[in-house]
Amino acid sequence: MVGGGQGAFIGAVHRIAARIDDQYELVAGALSSNPERAQSSGAALHLAPERSYSDYREMARAESQRPDGIEAVAIVTPNYLHAPVATAFMEAGIHVICDKPLAISLAEGRQLAALAKQKNLLFALTHTYSGYPLLRHARAMVEAGEIGELRLVQVEYSQDWLAEAIAAGGMSEGNWHNDPQKAGPGGVLLDVGVHAYHLAQFVSGQTPQQLLAELSTFVPNRTLDDHVQVMLRYANGAKGTLWASQVATGCENTVRLRLFGSKAQLDFDQEQPNELWFTPQGGNRQRLRPGRVDSRAAAHATRVPAGHPEGYLEAFAQLYLDAAIAIRALQAGQPVPPEASWLPTVEAGVDGLAFAEAVLRSHASGAQWTTVEGAQAG
Amino acid sequence: MVGGGQGAFIGAVHRIAARIDDQYELVAGALSSNPERAQSSGAALHLAPERSYSDYREMARAESQRPDGIEAVAIVTPNYLHAPVATAFMEAGIHVICDKPLAISLAEGRQLAALAKQKNLLFALTHTYSGYPLLRHARAMVEAGEIGELRLVQVEYSQDWLAEAIAAGGMSEGNWHNDPQKAGPGGVLLDVGVHAYHLAQFVSGQTPQQLLAELSTFVPNRTLDDHVQVMLRYANGAKGTLWASQVATGCENTVRLRLFGSKAQLDFDQEQPNELWFTPQGGNRQRLRPGRVDSRAAAHATRVPAGHPEGYLEAFAQLYLDAAIAIRALQAGQPVPPEASWLPTVEAGVDGLAFAEAVLRSHASGAQWTTVEGAQAG
Amino acid sequence: MVGGGQGAFIGAVHRIAARIDDQYELVAGALSSNPERAQSSGAALHLAPERSYSDYREMARAESQRPDGIEAVAIVTPNYLHAPVATAFMEAGIHVICDKPLAISLAEGRQLAALAKQKNLLFALTHTYSGYPLLRHARAMVEAGEIGELRLVQVEYSQDWLAEAIAAGGMSEGNWHNDPQKAGPGGVLLDVGVHAYHLAQFVSGQTPQQLLAELSTFVPNRTLDDHVQVMLRYANGAKGTLWASQVATGCENTVRLRLFGSKAQLDFDQEQPNELWFTPQGGNRQRLRPGRVDSRAAAHATRVPAGHPEGYLEAFAQLYLDAAIAIRALQAGQPVPPEASWLPTVEAGVDGLAFAEAVLRSHASGAQWTTVEGAQAG
Amino acid sequence: MVGGGQGAFIGAVHRIAARIDDQYELVAGALSSNPERAQSSGAALHLAPERSYSDYREMARAESQRPDGIEAVAIVTPNYLHAPVATAFMEAGIHVICDKPLAISLAEGRQLAALAKQKNLLFALTHTYSGYPLLRHARAMVEAGEIGELRLVQVEYSQDWLAEAIAAGGMSEGNWHNDPQKAGPGGVLLDVGVHAYHLAQFVSGQTPQQLLAELSTFVPNRTLDDHVQVMLRYANGAKGTLWASQVATGCENTVRLRLFGSKAQLDFDQEQPNELWFTPQGGNRQRLRPGRVDSRAAAHATRVPAGHPEGYLEAFAQLYLDAAIAIRALQAGQPVPPEASWLPTVEAGVDGLAFAEAVLRSHASGAQWTTVEGAQAG
């Protein structure tokens, strides 16, 4: 693991996710660039002292030379380090599991994709929501034609944790999320906008051709955007709206996707992840549940019997499980089995950065329709 | 009543609404332009034969000369007749209660507003949703500053009744909703888009300055739009999204408004009209109910004790009740009492047409930001 | 109308309900036994002075002798007057629409049933909830075998309006609901317990053979019960639980019925009356809506298009509409048409009193299993 | 771990739960009494071959003599083995984490409690639902007096997995749940009834003094009960109803608890475990969420940020975490810290068996009021 030392947030989530299905053991880390904190964080996680590094380059080099060196690295640093850290480990022949966004520019992202391909390494990107069994089932339904031809996409990601002025405690002064050098050129856009975009793409199987966007910053003294609204146009004529906000007062973490096809509607909100609402045209809403759908896709992502809710950590664990399956397949020179092939990878990350780059261009043009470059389903 | 003969839909709803609070008696009508159907429809409603007209101009003339002539007329015709019918009755000194949209062009709407003002007549416009007690309460909360400064408006009006091809039965061949001569230049835009717009305006108290819009038509052989997406910019910097659709597969009649202010969020969906969700920034959602809020605005629009749900017909009745109160005040030369002053009138209709006209211009320009002309709160 | 003068509560609800479908005109009343209040209440409702009575016996006599005398009377008095008032009007050959409970003893109830039969008069009992379209649909589903063999009945009626001490304002000092002379021998039992019982019987089509019950009184200085718990045994082996409470803190007016059959479950709560939840064994919940079920029973009780919620007043109106249909049929010497035959009548009232009487006996015996006397589906 | 070999169900859940918070390592097991399956199951879980036992007595003996022997054992066998297995390990000085029910008789349960006390060992009982953060918060609210004096308890545990005939696949022929020798004298009663009972006790802090119960068996050829209904009387005058069913058609795993106090209501359903509904008397419902309550009790049981749902496995993990905290305290000769002291232990198990034994007696008496023996809060 790189990043995730004491006081960090997402690192602990990754560690729980990696443990749940018992496919990983944490044996080495560059948990902090501060040597003392790296050591103490490592000790708290029972790392051998000599495998607690303070420099990720040193870690990549040393681990690749050990006979018991790590097989995969989890990258949980601030955004701007994703690309250099991932590059260092891929150069050393080590598989990568990276938090989103993939990188802070589309160019960087493309380089990562090229390197992963060249080295034949797995590059998993933790778009967590795609690990929920019912989103897997939703995708399977779309693929099976159960909603018909796609017409409308409505996706939103709304939070309120940045709704208050920085001084009032919404975000601490030096938080890297507010620093374009570390977070990249988008605030809410890169933090959660790319999640929303991936979700729509993951389930619908379609990538918009054009978009039109406006970024806003509501809270004074904030450097980056805290709200984004986007209109989407798809190749088949479908239309969409995406909005993401960290000033959506009163919202904890609404991540809602609705797809309207010519035959049916699907509706999912990750705050109730054990429910997927399916409504046939002109019909009654049905509440699908993981234990009540006859679905290989959902079953693969479910650990408990019907009626026992799973949550965010299990969705996260699903990505780690799929990554383990994929890594073993690559190590054996075999194709990734179908059930693990929906794992978001570096290609999904490139798509997300293409989206973000198009949003920034559209916004700069005063919300003109803008082509999404070379987008491809992830 | 003009329109609403046998086989018509909204006329019967108006009649029930008028009866609920016992303020109206139906005594005359031009229920159909077909003389036979006008007579038989009138007979079915117990109208005296001589007060069952087949020409609305004749009705306006005759009723204005009777000592017991009607005090107010309800107009429930296809859209293109709203303006000429309302004009005829106002010229005859008769108050008007008109279904939405006000008219089929902004120019027409402005003439109606001018005439109503000149004649000092009530011109009520049945934007039904504004009759719900909890939307009244929501407006009162906004006015009292309970959500703080407005930041985001999210409003949607989604139905699926036109999601199927005309031939497949979505809409009958000769339905006037698909005829621009009768419906006006907007399909979903004038049919329900103006409802959504009014709702946002009614509760927030704000009118957008600019909008950007795209109309779509998904179903083959349809003349008018069946889907519209709009971005909104408000004078205070607030942003918004409005979408209205009659191809929203699986939606019956979702009319959902969310307002996010600096202090709190309000969330309402008319399919559950006895619930208004209030969430303070960083806090827990609260389900407000008509019988559980301490609110003069809600109490004025409530007929039953706590826990007994009211619905669409009662909301509609509320507009009729408020119109009766307003008409009596005008007849007495007195100001309309505050509790009835939230009744949507011809000014709200003009605002709605200004919105529609701006949407049409923006769409024609390829979704450019477009100024909403002379908009004013209704 | 007898009862329902100024300050009364349920009378106004009956009057709105009677108006909605335009089948009734209020022309006479004994709105109060106080002559002055009777006159002023009548004047407020536009009654002719000579048809505003202060004695219901006088009203029955006088109206039965007028050529334009009333066809039906609505009884909205305190419970103890239901039987004498209904008797007086039936003796005069006038149809009766009576609020629940039918009477304050089983013996009284049986006399009313016998008299109605002998006189061939309609005796409608306003168990309002049976007017909801989705409860009609639920009954149709049960009759059609869609839930299979009935196994479990869970019904509850919970309110909190009596949860506070009388002195604290829960109920005014002299409220007749707390006076056994006027309310009868049951508090919550006769006030809402009989509603819950009727609801289960109405939808399931079954009447319990035995019950076991405990009454409780939580609030000091209350004379009658404010909480009742009952276990039910049905002839076919089905089991049930019924509870009704007016000290269910935080509940407005929950009236929830769940039926579990060998094939499926039905679930209804009148606070969301536009939803009926149907779940097949082992399957997913489906939210049925009035406009989305293919049901003659529901269509007969629906006035508005899909997605426009109806509520308590429309359910109440449905009983008035069915009563009008039934009265016309009786007047014409014809059978009541099937669509109006689900109207609760005096037989349902007798069943409810048999239930109440069994509860009182079981409670007095320390919660022994007790036979429900001569119960029959209503 | 004893039990939980290949093909077993709850063992895998325990193992995930133990891993989540990284406090346990699985190093030994008697996963099956079949030596071959014990070895292969152990190998699949990476146990050293010599620590994969086929006899739990041998395992207790051997592990207690190893310097690196296990500190605690998880017991996930059929019910009838809980007592002998737990006894063997406690005799060997090893802490116990045992699935429910504690044992198959009250006498057995009391012996286990006595032995745990004598040996000063932790005996944790996995009443999973008590690990949910919002049930911890609910208990804290009750303790703080926020609902006032307890009046009503409504608790239900309903499933449909046994609603179909055994032959039809509801339960396999030889399933031990249908064998009184292995399951004990109660079917649904011991399987999930004790969960419901514990839940009510855990949150309310009160134990009923008397109960009245009826067991039912709906499905042919079933030996044990599949439905139980119970009325409860508490020392302070509060009343309650508990029902548990495995023939509740269409229910996956509803575990709903409602407490009504003189001041407020609490409402929880484990199918939506990230919501606790709080309603003050006469007020509006509030949806409390783990990340939005200011609560040490909830924070102790939460791993993720606001808006990220946790589920059943995290609740289960919470019991393992609390057990680890408690075991370390006992090993250090210190008191269990307050935050881990709500862990259900052998005393809760004794209470549950006292409940079950009273239910069986009441049922045998034809549903007479029956005293719950020596019940004490767990």
Side-chain angles (χ1 to χ4, degrees), chain A residues 194-208:
Chain A
V194 293
H195 266 319
Y197 183 78
H198 180 258
L199 190 58
Q201 193 185 36
F202 178 82
V203 180
S204 74
Q206 295 200 34
T207 301

PDB file of all heavy atoms in Angstrom, chain A residues 194-208:
ATOM      1  N   VAL A 194     -16.503  11.826 -11.493  1.00  0.00           N
ATOM      2  CA  VAL A 194     -16.064  10.676 -12.289  1.00  0.00           C
ATOM      3  C   VAL A 194     -16.726   9.375 -11.816  1.00  0.00           C
ATOM      4  O   VAL A 194     -16.915   8.451 -12.600  1.00  0.00           O
ATOM      5  CB  VAL A 194     -14.524  10.524 -12.288  1.00  0.00           C
ATOM      6  CG1 VAL A 194     -13.892  11.709 -13.031  1.00  0.00           C
ATOM      7  CG2 VAL A 194     -13.973  10.420 -10.873  1.00  0.00           C
ATOM      8  N   HIS A 195     -17.067   9.302 -10.538  1.00  0.00           N
ATOM      9  CA  HIS A 195     -17.839   8.140 -10.048  1.00  0.00           C
ATOM     10  C   HIS A 195     -19.197   8.073 -10.755  1.00  0.00           C
ATOM     11  O   HIS A 195     -19.626   7.024 -11.223  1.00  0.00           O
ATOM     12  CB  HIS A 195     -18.104   8.260  -8.536  1.00  0.00           C
ATOM     13  CG  HIS A 195     -17.110   7.582  -7.666  1.00  0.00           C
ATOM     14  ND1 HIS A 195     -16.566   6.354  -7.924  1.00  0.00           N
ATOM     15  CD2 HIS A 195     -16.569   7.956  -6.468  1.00  0.00           C
ATOM     16  CE1 HIS A 195     -15.732   6.004  -6.950  1.00  0.00           C
ATOM     17  NE2 HIS A 195     -15.714   6.963  -6.059  1.00  0.00           N
ATOM     18  N   ALA A 196     -19.866   9.223 -10.784  1.00  0.00           N
ATOM     19  CA  ALA A 196     -21.200   9.250 -11.406  1.00  0.00           C
ATOM     20  C   ALA A 196     -21.111   8.865 -12.874  1.00  0.00           C
ATOM     21  O   ALA A 196     -21.925   8.092 -13.392  1.00  0.00           O
ATOM     22  CB  ALA A 196     -21.808  10.643 -11.256  1.00  0.00           C
ATOM     23  N   TYR A 197     -20.108   9.432 -13.518  1.00  0.00           N
ATOM     24  CA  TYR A 197     -19.931   9.152 -14.950  1.00  0.00           C
ATOM     25  C   TYR A 197     -19.674   7.661 -15.170  1.00  0.00           C
ATOM     26  O   TYR A 197     -20.271   7.034 -16.051  1.00  0.00           O
ATOM     27  CB  TYR A 197     -18.759   9.982 -15.469  1.00  0.00           C
ATOM     28  CG  TYR A 197     -18.531   9.822 -16.952  1.00  0.00           C
ATOM     29  CD1 TYR A 197     -19.336  10.491 -17.867  1.00  0.00           C
ATOM     30  CD2 TYR A 197     -17.493   9.029 -17.437  1.00  0.00           C
ATOM     31  CE1 TYR A 197     -19.116  10.356 -19.237  1.00  0.00           C
ATOM     32  CE2 TYR A 197     -17.272   8.890 -18.795  1.00  0.00           C
ATOM     33  CZ  TYR A 197     -18.089   9.555 -19.699  1.00  0.00           C
ATOM     34  OH  TYR A 197     -17.880   9.420 -21.040  1.00  0.00           O
ATOM     35  N   HIS A 198     -18.801   7.109 -14.352  1.00  0.00           N
ATOM     36  CA  HIS A 198     -18.495   5.679 -14.524  1.00  0.00           C
ATOM     37  C   HIS A 198     -19.732   4.818 -14.290  1.00  0.00           C
ATOM     38  O   HIS A 198     -19.973   3.837 -14.996  1.00  0.00           O
ATOM     39  CB  HIS A 198     -17.386   5.238 -13.569  1.00  0.00           C
ATOM     40  CG  HIS A 198     -17.067   3.780 -13.724  1.00  0.00           C
ATOM     41  ND1 HIS A 198     -17.521   2.818 -12.848  1.00  0.00           N
ATOM     42  CD2 HIS A 198     -16.418   3.117 -14.713  1.00  0.00           C
ATOM     43  CE1 HIS A 198     -17.139   1.637 -13.270  1.00  0.00           C
ATOM     44  NE2 HIS A 198     -16.465   1.776 -14.391  1.00  0.00           N
ATOM     45  N   LEU A 199     -20.477   5.182 -13.292  1.00  0.00           N
ATOM     46  CA  LEU A 199     -21.668   4.400 -12.957  1.00  0.00           C
ATOM     47  C   LEU A 199     -22.614   4.322 -14.150  1.00  0.00           C
ATOM     48  O   LEU A 199     -23.106   3.240 -14.517  1.00  0.00           O
ATOM     49  CB  LEU A 199     -22.355   5.077 -11.771  1.00  0.00           C
ATOM     50  CG  LEU A 199     -23.471   4.318 -11.113  1.00  0.00           C
ATOM     51  CD1 LEU A 199     -22.964   2.982 -10.615  1.00  0.00           C
ATOM     52  CD2 LEU A 199     -23.990   5.139  -9.937  1.00  0.00           C
ATOM     53  N   ALA A 200     -22.874   5.478 -14.755  1.00  0.00           N
ATOM     54  CA  ALA A 200     -23.781   5.498 -15.906  1.00  0.00           C
ATOM     55  C   ALA A 200     -23.220   4.656 -17.043  1.00  0.00           C
ATOM     56  O   ALA A 200     -23.942   3.909 -17.704  1.00  0.00           O
ATOM     57  CB  ALA A 200     -23.996   6.943 -16.360  1.00  0.00           C
ATOM     58  N   GLN A 201     -21.931   4.769 -17.238  1.00  0.00           N
ATOM     59  CA  GLN A 201     -21.276   4.036 -18.324  1.00  0.00           C
ATOM     60  C   GLN A 201     -21.263   2.534 -18.035  1.00  0.00           C
ATOM     61  O   GLN A 201     -21.512   1.712 -18.917  1.00  0.00           O
ATOM     62  CB  GLN A 201     -19.846   4.570 -18.433  1.00  0.00           C
ATOM     63  CG  GLN A 201     -19.100   4.177 -19.677  1.00  0.00           C
ATOM     64  CD  GLN A 201     -17.661   4.664 -19.624  1.00  0.00           C
ATOM     65  OE1 GLN A 201     -17.040   4.686 -18.564  1.00  0.00           O
ATOM     66  NE2 GLN A 201     -17.144   5.051 -20.775  1.00  0.00           N
ATOM     67  N   PHE A 202     -20.987   2.213 -16.772  1.00  0.00           N
ATOM     68  CA  PHE A 202     -20.886   0.805 -16.365  1.00  0.00           C
ATOM     69  C   PHE A 202     -22.204   0.077 -16.582  1.00  0.00           C
ATOM     70  O   PHE A 202     -22.239  -1.044 -17.092  1.00  0.00           O
ATOM     71  CB  PHE A 202     -20.491   0.750 -14.883  1.00  0.00           C
ATOM     72  CG  PHE A 202     -20.389  -0.635 -14.316  1.00  0.00           C
ATOM     73  CD1 PHE A 202     -19.233  -1.384 -14.500  1.00  0.00           C
ATOM     74  CD2 PHE A 202     -21.432  -1.185 -13.577  1.00  0.00           C
ATOM     75  CE1 PHE A 202     -19.128  -2.666 -13.973  1.00  0.00           C
ATOM     76  CE2 PHE A 202     -21.331  -2.466 -13.055  1.00  0.00           C
ATOM     77  CZ  PHE A 202     -20.180  -3.207 -13.246  1.00  0.00           C
ATOM     78  N   VAL A 203     -23.291   0.706 -16.189  1.00  0.00           N
ATOM     79  CA  VAL A 203     -24.583   0.016 -16.262  1.00  0.00           C
ATOM     80  C   VAL A 203     -25.192   0.105 -17.657  1.00  0.00           C
ATOM     81  O   VAL A 203     -25.714  -0.873 -18.184  1.00  0.00           O
ATOM     82  CB  VAL A 203     -25.560   0.560 -15.200  1.00  0.00           C
ATOM     83  CG1 VAL A 203     -26.904  -0.165 -15.291  1.00  0.00           C
ATOM     84  CG2 VAL A 203     -24.977   0.398 -13.807  1.00  0.00           C
ATOM     85  N   SER A 204     -25.112   1.302 -18.262  1.00  0.00           N
ATOM     86  CA  SER A 204     -25.766   1.470 -19.567  1.00  0.00           C
ATOM     87  C   SER A 204     -24.970   0.816 -20.685  1.00  0.00           C
ATOM     88  O   SER A 204     -25.524   0.493 -21.741  1.00  0.00           O
ATOM     89  CB  SER A 204     -25.947   2.958 -19.888  1.00  0.00           C
ATOM     90  OG  SER A 204     -24.701   3.539 -20.234  1.00  0.00           O
ATOM     91  N   GLY A 205     -23.657   0.667 -20.483  1.00  0.00           N
ATOM     92  CA  GLY A 205     -22.818   0.155 -21.549  1.00  0.00           C
ATOM     93  C   GLY A 205     -22.580   1.172 -22.654  1.00  0.00           C
ATOM     94  O   GLY A 205     -22.071   0.830 -23.714  1.00  0.00           O
ATOM     95  N   GLN A 206     -22.958   2.430 -22.402  1.00  0.00           N
ATOM     96  CA  GLN A 206     -22.786   3.451 -23.436  1.00  0.00           C
ATOM     97  C   GLN A 206     -21.978   4.635 -22.919  1.00  0.00           C
ATOM     98  O   GLN A 206     -22.041   4.987 -21.746  1.00  0.00           O
ATOM     99  CB  GLN A 206     -24.150   3.949 -23.928  1.00  0.00           C
ATOM    100  CG  GLN A 206     -24.937   2.852 -24.625  1.00  0.00           C
ATOM    101  CD  GLN A 206     -26.023   3.414 -25.510  1.00  0.00           C
ATOM    102  OE1 GLN A 206     -25.865   4.476 -26.100  1.00  0.00           O
ATOM    103  NE2 GLN A 206     -27.128   2.697 -25.615  1.00  0.00           N
ATOM    104  N   THR A 207     -21.279   5.251 -23.840  1.00  0.00           N
ATOM    105  CA  THR A 207     -20.448   6.408 -23.532  1.00  0.00           C
ATOM    106  C   THR A 207     -20.983   7.596 -24.318  1.00  0.00           C
ATOM    107  O   THR A 207     -21.244   7.464 -25.507  1.00  0.00           O
ATOM    108  CB  THR A 207     -19.001   6.106 -23.960  1.00  0.00           C
ATOM    109  OG1 THR A 207     -18.565   4.951 -23.247  1.00  0.00           O
ATOM    110  CG2 THR A 207     -18.085   7.265 -23.657  1.00  0.00           C
ATOM    111  N   PRO A 208     -21.177   8.735 -23.674  1.00  0.00           N
ATOM    112  CA  PRO A 208     -21.705   9.889 -24.408  1.00  0.00           C
ATOM    113  C   PRO A 208     -20.737  10.364 -25.484  1.00  0.00           C
ATOM    114  O   PRO A 208     -19.522  10.291 -25.312  1.00  0.00           O
ATOM    115  CB  PRO A 208     -21.859  10.973 -23.335  1.00  0.00           C
ATOM    116  CG  PRO A 208     -21.731  10.284 -22.034  1.00  0.00           C
ATOM    117  CD  PRO A 208     -20.944   9.049 -22.255  1.00  0.00           C
TER     118      PRO A 208
END
